[in-house]
Amino acid sequence: MVETVSRIERVERLRVSDSVAAQLTQLITKGVYAVGEKLPPERVLAEEFGVSRSSMREAIRSIEASGLVSSNHGVGVFVVSNTVVSQAASDLLVFEGFTVPELFEVRRMMERDAAGLAARRITPGYASELQDILARCADPNLSNEEFVKLDFKLHHTIAKASQNGLLATIYSSLEPMMVKYSHRVIDLPGRREDSHRGHARIVDAVVAGQVREAQSAAVAHIRDVERDIAKNIAQPTTPTS
């Protein structure tokens, strides 16, 4: 009997507790909870954030590990610092008043359907435009700022290629948020290369008129961003001198 080797890799996802920890970090660094102040009880915080107590507990453990709070069993959790030395998870997980997992949920829904419709309704003009944008993104001399602009243009062009005017208009309204956030994550290790590979898979499927493949490639593209952010958050940080 021939043995098969499993090539399945664990799919890393952002957790609810990561998002809660990021928001708590922002509240502390902005002084909403001052140094020396006692945080509300875990039960109260869980209700305010709309999460389970286990997720709340995990979030508190996370910010305690970062040195912002200290737990005193039987007494409570107190803020002991309002400064983070390295890039905080809040920079990657909370943005413009929304959590990044919320942004990804919206993108998964919109981009999956946009890619599927574009593959079904692709025209030679849009196919040529998408391939041109993809070729420009491959230029190694392209600055990150230019890459981010082309990144949004590619996704917006796919939305337009769906030939659903409302979908394209809604997607266009996300441009300020998506461009600003892309600037935050573009420097993550391998992010630009992963992004370009994801774009290539989406464009290839759309241009070929492969509806299911285009939808799958669009969702996988968003999952890849989540994976890179999750890995970055999981890595221990070294304080700078």
Side-chain angles (χ1 to χ4, degrees):
M1 183 175 65
V2 179
E3 293 186 1
T4 59
V5 178
S6 174
R7 300 191 178 209
I8 297 175
E9 295 182 3
R10 181 183 177 86
V11 177
E12 299 197 49
R13 294 283 304 279
L14 297 175
R15 300 168 298 176
V16 170
S17 60
D18 290 330
S19 183
V20 174
Q23 293 184 70
L24 274 176
T25 296
Q26 280 202 333
L27 291 173
I28 292 171
T29 57
K30 290 181 177 180
V32 177
Y33 293 121
V35 173
E37 185 176 351
K38 180 181 176 181
L39 294 183
E42 177 188 289
R43 173 184 55 79
V44 174
L45 284 174
E47 290 176 357
E48 290 180 349
F49 278 94
V51 299
S52 68
R53 292 187 66 172
S54 60
S55 291
M56 194 70 242
R57 193 173 305 118
E58 191 172 352
I60 291 174
R61 280 200 296 265
S62 176
I63 63 172
E64 183 173 18
S66 70
L68 291 177
V69 300
S70 178
S71 297
N72 189 333
H73 185 66
V75 180
V77 180
F78 293 84
V79 178
V80 295
S81 174
N82 60 5
T83 304
V84 288
V85 178
S86 58
Q87 183 185 36
S90 58
D91 290 337
L92 296 177
L93 290 173
V94 179
F95 186 67
E96 299 283 321
F98 301 98
T99 69
V100 170
E102 287 175 331
L103 174 61
F104 286 165
E105 284 178 356
V106 171
R107 287 192 65 187
R108 273 196 297 273
M109 289 186 290
M110 289 184 61
E111 295 187 21
R112 176 186 181 276
D113 288 345
L117 289 171
R120 185 174 289 115
R121 301 168 179 172
I122 192 66
T123 64
Y126 278 124
S128 177
E129 186 175 354
L130 286 171
Q131 290 171 326
D132 177 66
I133 296 172
L134 190 64
R136 291 165 64 190
C137 286
D139 182 358
N141 296 317
L142 200 68
S143 69
N144 280 349
E145 182 174 358
E146 292 170 319
F147 184 88
V148 166
K149 289 180 180 178
L150 287 173
D151 182 336
F152 180 81
K153 184 176 182 180
L154 185 141
H155 288 289
H156 189 211
T157 301
I158 291 172
K160 290 190 295 183
S162 74
Q163 300 189 51
N164 182 313
L166 181 57
L167 176 59
T169 298
I170 293 173
Y171 201 91
S172 180
S173 70
L174 296 177
E175 180 176 8
M177 179 185 295
M178 288 179 59
V179 168
K180 286 181 182 178
Y181 186 72
S182 292
H183 278 296
R184 289 191 180 186
V185 301
I186 194 66
D187 287 325
L188 292 179
R191 174 86 298 270
R192 179 164 161 174
E193 293 77 12
D194 287 346
S195 181
H196 184 63
R197 281 192 292 271
H199 290 162
R201 286 191 287 268
I202 298 171
V203 170
D204 286 349
V206 167
V207 170
Q210 299 171 329
V211 176
R212 290 186 179 179
E213 289 79 358
Q215 291 173 328
S216 296
V219 172
H221 179 57
I222 306 301
R223 297 291 192 208
D224 284 345
V225 185
E226 286 189 289
R227 178 205 64 204
D228 288 348
I229 293 174
K231 284 184 176 179
N232 184 77
I233 292 172
Q235 289 175 351
T237 56
T238 303
T240 56
S241 56

